[in-house]
Every structure is written in C-alpha cells, then in structure tokens.
Amino acid sequence: MESWSVEQVCNWLKQRNLGELVPKFREEEVSGAALLALNDRMVQQLVKKIGHQAVLMDLIKKYQQQKSGLESLTYYCETASQKFPEVVSGKNLKSFFARHKTLQWTSSYALPDFPYDVKCILAEKKCPDHSMRIRIIEFLQADMTKYLEGSLYPNSQQYNIVVNALLQAYPFLDEDGNGFLLWKRALKDRFKYVRRPIEDDEQVLRNKCKFGHRRGQSRKSSFAENKHDDIQGQVEEEPAHLKGSAMDLHIKWLNQEYMKTQRNWEEVDNRMNVTIEIRRKMISDKAPLKDILRLFPFLRCPYQLFREFQLLTQMDIYKKTVEILELYSENILSLYVVRNNPINIMLQENLKQHTEEDVLKYMKMTAACLLLPEVFGDDSSLFAAVNEEVKAVTPVMEVKNPFNVNSCEFALYIEREELAQLNDCTMALAALVAAFHVFDIPCPKRIHRTLNFLESLVFEVRNPASLP
C-alpha cells in the first residue's frame, strides 16, 4: 500500500464502499504513503461523515496490524522453509497465509455496540420482533463489512464466528435450539440484499458476471443459499433463472435418465445445478413432496440428497456424520442411561459373535446412532423405527436387523413413504439430517435436542451441544 498512487488509493476506496471520499482524496493528492500517515485530525479534515471517519481509521489500523503480523509470519516461514522446504512452499504457503489471516480476524472480532432501543430489548432478555431482528442483522452486517475491510463476501467460517458471538452474548436468541441456523441465514440474506443493487464494485461485478448477471439488470432469482467458492471461501451470486421450455427440457431429461440403469452422473449434476432455483422455489412455497420428487426423482438418491445439502450449507454431511459417530460412539455406549436399553442389550449379544475389528466398530457406531434420542430424552419413534412400522410423517430412519451384517436394511422415510435405501446406519443418519434441511421440514420439538446436537457438530458451532 505504501507505493500506491493517488488513483490506486481512490480505487481502493471504491472497493470499500467509500466512493464518496474519492473527489476529496484526489484534490488533496492522498497517495498510499500519505494514507498510512493520516492521523485522527487529518481524517476529520478530509472526511465529513463520522461513520466514514470511523471506517477509514479502522481500515488503516487493520492494515497496519496485518502488515505487522504478516512480516513476523514471513520471517517464520522463511526460517521454517530452510528446515522443512517440502512443507512451507508453493500452494501450502499460500494456504498457510490464508489461514493466518482468518485466525487473525477471528481473534479480533467483537460484537458491535447496538443502538439504545436494541440494547433495551436485549437487556430485558426479550425475543425481538421482526423489525427488531432486522435492526440487529443490519448492524451485524455493517460491522462484518468493517472487519472485512469493505468486502461484501464473508466466508462460512466468518458467518459462524459472528452468529456464535451473538448467541453466546445473548443465549435467549437461540430459539428452540435452532437459532444458529436462523440468524446465519438472515445474515446471509442481508449481504445478498446489500450486494444486489451495487453496480460499481469490482468484486461484486466480477461475481455477477461470472454467474450469469449483466450490468444494469434488476434483481435475479437466487440459485441457492449463498453458494461459497470452495477455494476462495467467498459467497457468490447465482446463475440467471431458466424459464419455460428450457426448464421443461431439463426436468424431462432428468426423469428419463432416472429410469436408466447406467446413468450419466456428470450430466445429472449439471442439470440438477441448473434446476435448483425452481426446486428451491417449490420447496419454499410448501409444494407437496410427491410433486417435488416427481419432477426431481434424483433427490431419492443419497448422493444427490447429500449434494443438495452441500449446495445449501457448504458442508459434507456424510463425512461429518462419520466423524461424529467415530468420535462419540464409545462415550454414548458408556452412558448409564442406555445401559439397559434393548438396543444396547442387542449390541452386546452380537458383539460376542464377532472378532473382526471393522465389524465391531460398525456395530458400535450403529448402536450409538440409534441410542442418541435416549441419551437426550427425546422420542425415539421420531428418529428411527427399529424392526417396526414407520409411524412418523417427518423424516425418520427405518432399520431392520441393525446388527446382522448379512441381512441389515436401512431406509429413509418421509410422510410414511420410503425416500431412499441406504447402505448403513451412518449414511441413514446423514440422510435424516440432510432431509430436514433440503426439504425445509420443521424439526419436531420431541426430537429437537438430538438434532440440535448433531447439527451443532455438522455446522462446526464454536460451542457445540454436548452429551448430557
């Protein structure tokens, strides 16, 4: 930044939504070196609005802190590269710096000072009404933009940091254990709303053009929930809406391909991407599940169900579920509350018949999965029907012979009808969690503690729910 010209400083201001300051900075010939040398008095003379003064000073301060931190980090990397050249080099070094920057953002974040009326509501521990929730989200969005140096594209971890900070400071905002997802979605929607009318920000325009937008177009329908770039970690705009015969052709092709035994999965992925907008619109409008599955039968395939979940949340639900069961299965089985449970008794009897380590691990993970509602005191009939008929209308697992490796069967049911056959209990649990989100189904209160525990681990909440 020290070597920037006046025009480069002006472009930097525009990228940080401070375009109003450009004429004055040009008039005073503020270069990069001059910008870093500004003190409070100079900023007050250059900038009239107090809000702009605060943002500008904060950006300069953050840059200087990052510069200081990166200089020390560079020294460390240079020293390390001499000892471990294969570790700190090329692509690894780039990701190392990116992670350092994220951690620095994390450690420095603090909630904003909310306006007086918001403080009063929060102090009384009252759940805010709709207009007050909007006020809180607006202040969080403005505060995040300040921390992101004017960028309007937070990544998933940064959304998590802010929402976690909010719920830790005001736990009563976590309504029925689902507050994290609700506040995070509202914050994402606020950033999308702010980005939508912008026509002079290079980063916004670049993403709009990349995903089918044109300069001067009005609002576009969304492609998915704030899709993140896997490499950059940025939330990007979605492709333009397909209408009429083009959409009909995609749906017709998907239905024809679903009937085949050998499927073109790459093309299925592409067409499911293209049609996600109309699919999400149907789901948000509470269209009957049968109609949705009739148009998009591939949602019956576990792979596509998990993929749809990942498009919406940026999380690999199957991988996360495996990690959860591997980590918690022994602890769950050791709890006193499940000691005399029929599932645990059935497990112990079957463990005596096998010695293979993989089989024993599989059985324990299966039992831990099925015992989760018992651990949290929830209604197990809303979670899994083991060797019995499914009665719940919400997503539920059907399990037959869970510990018989030769005859066990796992399926996911919604509205008492089979949605998909699954390979094992881990996949069935992942499909259960995914179905609630993909089909936007409210979680029953009698099972919400169990699902809240799973979701807090899947979404990497800073203080996840723990076992009782």
Side-chain angles (χ1 to χ4, degrees), residues 139-419:
F139 272 82
L140 289 178
Q141 181 269 319
D143 192 60
M144 285 183 72
T145 303
K146 179 190 76 172
Y147 270 87
L148 294 167
E149 299 184 359
S151 172
L152 295 173
Y153 290 90
N155 61 35
S156 184
Q157 184 181 2
Q158 288 161 343
Y159 279 119
N160 291 345
I161 290 165
V162 174
V163 176
N164 276 328
L166 179 69
L167 297 185
Q168 284 179 359
Y170 308 105
F172 59 91
L173 296 178
D174 189 7
E175 303 165 8
D176 295 329
N178 295 320
F180 177 83
L181 296 177
L182 295 175
W183 285 99
K184 183 176 179 180
R185 179 174 295 179
L187 194 53
K188 284 184 174 183
D189 288 344
R190 177 63 189 174
F191 269 96
K192 289 173 68 176
Y193 176 81
V194 171
R195 288 196 303 264
R196 190 171 292 122
I198 294 177
E199 297 293 340
D200 58 354
D201 185 287
E202 292 183 9
Q203 188 183 16
V204 175
L205 285 176
R206 183 168 62 251
N207 283 300
K208 283 186 176 182
C209 291
K210 181 178 179 181
F211 288 92
H213 292 255
R214 301 288 189 273
R215 181 181 291 272
Q217 279 185 334
S218 58
R219 173 180 177 177
K220 297 291 179 184
S221 305
S222 61
F223 165 50
E225 281 287 332
N226 292 344
K227 184 177 179 181
H228 290 256
D229 186 283
D230 291 336
I231 299 174
Q232 299 294 335
Q234 295 176 340
V235 185
E236 298 173 331
E237 293 294 327
E238 300 85 11
H241 179 45
L242 290 173
K243 294 183 179 180
S245 59
M247 184 63 70
D248 293 338
L249 288 174
H250 287 301
I251 293 173
K252 183 178 179 181
W253 186 92
L254 287 168
N255 277 267
Q256 291 174 345
E257 192 71 10
Y258 184 74
M259 302 304 294
K260 297 179 180 179
T261 53
Q262 299 293 327
R263 295 159 178 165
N264 183 348
W265 286 108
E266 183 177 356
E267 185 62 20
V268 169
D269 289 350
N270 292 336
R271 293 182 186 253
M272 289 292 283
N273 282 351
V274 172
T275 57
I276 191 171
E277 180 185 350
I278 187 66
R279 193 160 58 251
R280 300 318 306 169
K281 182 69 166 60
M282 289 180 67
I283 291 171
S284 66
D285 290 344
K286 304 301 180 185
L289 181 64
K290 290 182 179 180
D291 292 346
I292 297 168
L293 295 176
R294 178 174 54 80
L295 295 177
F296 304 102
F298 277 101
L299 288 178
R300 294 180 178 274
C301 300
Y303 163 74
Q304 283 298 330
L305 185 66
F306 297 158
R307 190 172 179 275
E308 188 97 347
F309 181 90
Q310 190 164 12
L311 287 174
L312 297 174
T313 66
Q314 314 313 310
M315 292 295 175
D316 185 336
I317 183 66
Y318 181 69
K319 179 181 177 183
K320 288 287 182 183
T321 305
V322 172
E323 292 173 356
I324 292 168
L325 290 181
E326 286 181 343
L327 184 62
Y328 285 92
S329 58
E330 292 289 348
N331 290 338
I332 292 170
L333 296 175
S334 66
L335 293 173
Y336 179 79
V337 71
V338 302
R339 184 171 299 177
N340 297 320
N341 188 279
I343 296 291
N344 200 10
I345 295 173
M346 197 187 311
L347 168 69
Q348 300 306 323
E349 292 175 353
N350 281 272
L351 288 178
K352 298 174 184 177
Q353 303 173 18
H354 298 274
T355 57
E356 301 89 342
E357 185 176 341
D358 290 343
V359 175
L360 297 178
K361 180 181 177 181
Y362 162 81
M363 287 184 174
K364 289 180 179 180
M365 289 174 63
T366 300
C369 169
L370 298 177
L371 288 169
L372 268 174
E374 298 293 333
V375 172
F376 289 96
D378 282 338
D379 186 347
S380 59
S381 67
L382 298 178
F383 187 78
V386 182
N387 294 331
E388 60 183 28
E389 182 184 355
V390 172
K391 297 178 181 179
V393 295
T394 52
V396 65
M397 293 181 286
E398 184 198 49
V399 184
K400 295 180 180 179
N401 309 316
F403 305 113
N404 189 326
V405 293
N406 297 317
S407 63
C408 59
E409 294 180 12
F410 301 90
L412 177 68
Y413 274 66
I414 304 180
E415 297 180 358
R416 299 193 185 95
E417 293 191 10
E418 183 180 301
L419 180 79

Side-chain angles (χ1 to χ4, degrees), residues 109-124 126 128 131-144 146-147 161-173 183 187 190:
Y109 183 76
L111 284 174
D113 188 21
F114 290 114
Y116 179 75
D117 57 335
V118 176
K119 284 182 180 179
C120 291
I121 294 294
L122 296 176
E124 295 173 4
K126 293 181 179 179
S131 61
M132 190 60 68
R133 291 173 72 92
I134 291 175
R135 294 256 288 152
I136 294 172
I137 287 296
E138 286 175 348
F139 272 82
L140 289 178
Q141 181 269 319
D143 192 60
M144 285 183 72
K146 179 190 76 172
Y147 270 87
I161 290 165
V162 174
V163 176
N164 276 328
L166 179 69
L167 297 185
Q168 284 179 359
Y170 308 105
F172 59 91
L173 296 178
W183 285 99
L187 194 53
R190 177 63 189 174

